[in-house]
Amino acid sequence: MKKLIVLMAIAGLITNISCRKIEMDKYITGGTDGSSSQNENTILEGKISSDRTLKAQYTYTIRGIVYVTNGAKLTIEPGTAIHGETSSKGALVITRGSQIIADGSKDKPIIFTSDAPDPKRGDWGGVVICGNAPTNASFNGTAGIGQVEGGVNNGEGLGLFGGTNAADNSGILRYVRIEYAGYAYLPDNELNGLTLAGVGNRTIVDYVEIYKANDDAIECFGGTVNLKHTVFVSTLDDDYDTDNGWSGHVQWGIVLRDSSIADISKSESFESDNDANGSSLTPQTKGVYSNMTIIGPRATTSNVGNSLYLAGAQIRRNSSISIFNSVIMGYPTGILIDASKGVPTDNNISGNTLFVQNTIISGSAKPVDYSASATAATGWTAADAINWFNTASYGNSILAANDEVKLAAPFNYSNPDFTPRSGSPLLTGASFTNSLLTSDFVATSYRGAVGPSGEEATWWKGWTRF
């Protein structure tokens, strides 16, 4: 009898261990219905309409267009990997009133990437955030409301953006990397690596890398969102595309372009419009940049690169963005003031709302150029644009060769180094006296995105890829 009891006890113990092992395996591999904490659903699809946390021990897949709705908060733990499903062109959309809290760290960045074994740009749709901040867009006759490009909007209006709250808060993107994202839904109707549509200035976007975006790295459709510590690598089209009344502030940005990769629509690092028609609608696009290091396609003047590259910055269609304390290297044209459509862009220069100051352009065949209005002469010529840039009090300079900037290894695509070497003109010459450089900006003595020492020299290392 005692032997029987012992055998029954051993059998029960084995059965109990076996059952617990099955449950643990289910927890580790992830279930499909998300019905309990031990049955994590790693497939994201449809709507997320209540608060949810994505956990670092899992890898999640975005299937199709996934909407965070109903004021829900999607929290993502540091170190979490989220894969966009290539077969369904997955995309993550944070709708108005909802939030994403993707707050990674330097040693545990949050990574959005492709699920393909051999990933490539355009594998999935990227991240879209829609907010309630002001915009000059309109939708179905309603001014101040816009529709996100890329086939995101639906019958419920989950792809609409814009409102009246400049301080709107859509959450946090910090130490986040977005890879291989963006696709063309229709010509001139694309999703980007990161789309910020009507996003307000209480939203934090800091330490964000966009790697091999298929359209733009970031496009801001209106809103007031600020960007800090951004790194864009091998973008297809534009790096900072801004329109529909965006008025945010950007500091410390690095762009590294691939000489062979450009878009049929012509590629720039800055492309900015007030709106598609270059109208006088308000709010006007008037973002401000400082401490930008822009590495274009031409390491030398004889290295032409892809013929579809246009300019480091094309400021057009009545945009009024300003650039301070920066360097633009190796573009066919450094800065193009384009007045060819809509209200002439150079009106913003004479109106003292568009500035380029304390900035270096190097290695460009045309450091500064001007495209006149096709319908009405404003009196400006390309020579006037150069004279404006060379205004002595503006502190700008033009260098014939990129080597004169004296960066460590800016055109080494696999292992770049953007640190200014001894004697670099970027080590000095910054100024923060212009009234557009508000308290959002931190005054530096150096120009460009990378300082000579300390955290200012290394902020872009450790959480990025090249």
Side-chain angles (χ1 to χ4, degrees):
M1 185 66 180
K2 288 182 179 179
K3 290 181 179 179
L4 179 60
I5 291 172
V6 170
L7 289 173
M8 289 175 65
I10 292 172
L13 179 61
I14 291 172
T15 301
N16 186 45
I17 291 172
S18 179
C19 289
R20 289 182 65 186
K21 184 178 185 300
I22 290 171
E23 286 183 0
M24 189 175 291
D25 285 349
K26 189 174 184 181
Y27 181 77
I28 291 171
T29 58
T32 58
D33 62 6
S35 59
S36 77
S37 62
Q38 289 189 323
N39 201 18
E40 181 73 12
N41 182 6
T42 59
I43 303 298
L44 308 178
E45 57 186 333
K47 297 177 185 177
I48 298 172
S49 56
S50 59
D51 292 355
R52 180 167 181 190
T53 297
L54 306 187
K55 302 168 186 176
Q57 67 259 46
Y58 303 112
T59 296
Y60 295 86
T61 299
I62 300 171
R63 176 169 292 165
I65 299 178
V66 176
Y67 299 93
V68 180
T69 69
N70 195 40
K73 180 184 296 183
L74 178 65
T75 301
I76 305 175
E77 292 182 347
T80 304
I82 304 99
H83 291 177
E85 188 175 66
T86 303
S87 60
S88 64
K89 292 298 182 184
L92 178 64
V93 180
I94 312 301
T95 65
R96 289 187 294 176
S98 299
Q99 290 185 320
I100 180 171
I101 308 297
D103 201 356
S105 63
K106 191 167 189 175
D107 60 337
K108 293 182 179 180
I110 293 165
I111 300 173
F112 291 87
T113 191
S114 166
D115 73 340
D118 184 21
K120 61 184 182 301
R121 68 181 77 245
D123 275 351
W124 65 292
V127 177
V128 178
I129 303 179
C130 299
N132 289 295
T135 170
N136 67 29
S138 61
F139 177 72
N140 285 347
T142 301
I145 302 296
Q147 173 180 249
V148 172
E149 294 180 351
V152 165
N153 197 28
N154 60 12
E156 298 178 59
L158 297 182
L160 299 181
F161 65 88
T164 59
N165 185 8
D168 194 35
N169 184 352
S170 294
I172 300 172
L173 295 180
R174 183 158 43 206
Y175 286 110
V176 169
R177 196 162 77 226
I178 301 173
E179 304 174 345
Y180 307 111
Y183 62 79
Y185 176 71
L186 292 169
D188 295 322
N189 191 344
E190 306 97 351
L191 283 181
N192 311 287
L194 175 61
T195 300
L196 300 172
V199 176
N201 59 28
R202 292 290 299 277
T203 307
I204 295 173
V205 180
D206 196 5
Y207 297 99
V208 171
E209 179 182 23
I210 312 295
Y211 181 81
K212 293 192 175 181
N214 196 49
D215 189 53
D216 303 326
I218 282 182
E219 184 161 9
C220 296
F221 294 93
T224 56
V225 62
N226 301 322
L227 314 174
K228 289 186 177 181
H229 301 106
T230 49
V231 179
F232 302 154
V233 177
S234 188
T235 304
L236 177 66
D237 193 10
D238 309 316
D239 295 294
Y240 299 91
D241 191 339
T242 55
D243 40 45
N244 290 123
W246 171 73
S247 60
H249 297 157
V250 181
Q251 190 170 18
W252 300 297
I254 293 172
V255 167
L256 179 62
R257 299 303 297 244
D258 186 324
S259 180
S260 64
I261 303 297
D263 189 59
I264 193 171
S265 66
K266 300 291 186 180
S267 292
E268 301 93 17
S269 281
F270 304 92
E271 181 184 87
S272 188
D273 312 324
N274 190 44
D275 65 356
N277 297 315
S279 75
S280 58
L281 287 173
T282 58
Q284 186 181 26
T285 301
K286 54 180 180 180
V288 181
Y289 299 85
S290 183
N291 297 94
M292 312 298 289
T293 294
I294 308 300
I295 310 300
R298 298 163 33 124
T300 69
T301 53
S302 61
N303 170 220
V304 176
N306 193 302
S307 63
L308 295 173
Y309 276 106
L310 180 60
Q314 184 185 23
I315 307 175
R316 64 182 191 177
R317 297 177 183 171
N318 195 29
S319 170
S320 195
I321 67 166
S322 296
I323 302 171
F324 298 94
N325 307 313
S326 297
V327 60
I328 298 174
M329 302 173 63
Y331 263 95
T333 298
I335 293 176
L336 173 60
I337 305 298
D338 186 350
S340 62
K341 184 175 182 179
V343 177
T345 305
D346 46 292
N347 286 357
N348 300 315
I349 293 173
S350 59
N352 291 317
T353 59
L354 191 166
F355 295 93
V356 178
Q357 294 182 354
N358 303 101
T359 291
I360 295 172
I361 297 175
S362 68
S364 292
K366 293 181 179 180
V368 183
D369 202 5
Y370 175 74
S371 181
S373 171
T375 58
T378 64
W380 254 48
T381 66
D384 292 316
I386 293 173
N387 290 337
W388 159 73
F389 181 83
N390 287 329
T391 301
S393 62
Y394 289 175
N396 297 318
S397 57
I398 295 170
L399 304 178
N402 293 318
D403 287 345
E404 296 178 69
V405 181
K406 297 185 178 180
L407 298 187
F411 291 94
N412 183 337
Y413 291 163
S414 61
N415 189 27
D417 192 341
F418 311 102
T419 308
R421 295 183 283 113
S422 177
S424 170
L426 293 179
L427 291 171
T428 59
S431 174
F432 288 80
T433 59
N434 191 290
S435 62
L436 295 183
L437 293 165
T438 68
S439 59
D440 285 338
F441 293 92
V442 176
T444 66
S445 59
Y446 61 88
R447 294 180 285 177
V450 179
S453 61
E455 177 63 18
E456 293 178 321
T458 61
W459 67 263
W460 55 278
K461 298 179 180 181
W463 57 280
T464 53
R465 68 174 296 185
F466 294 96

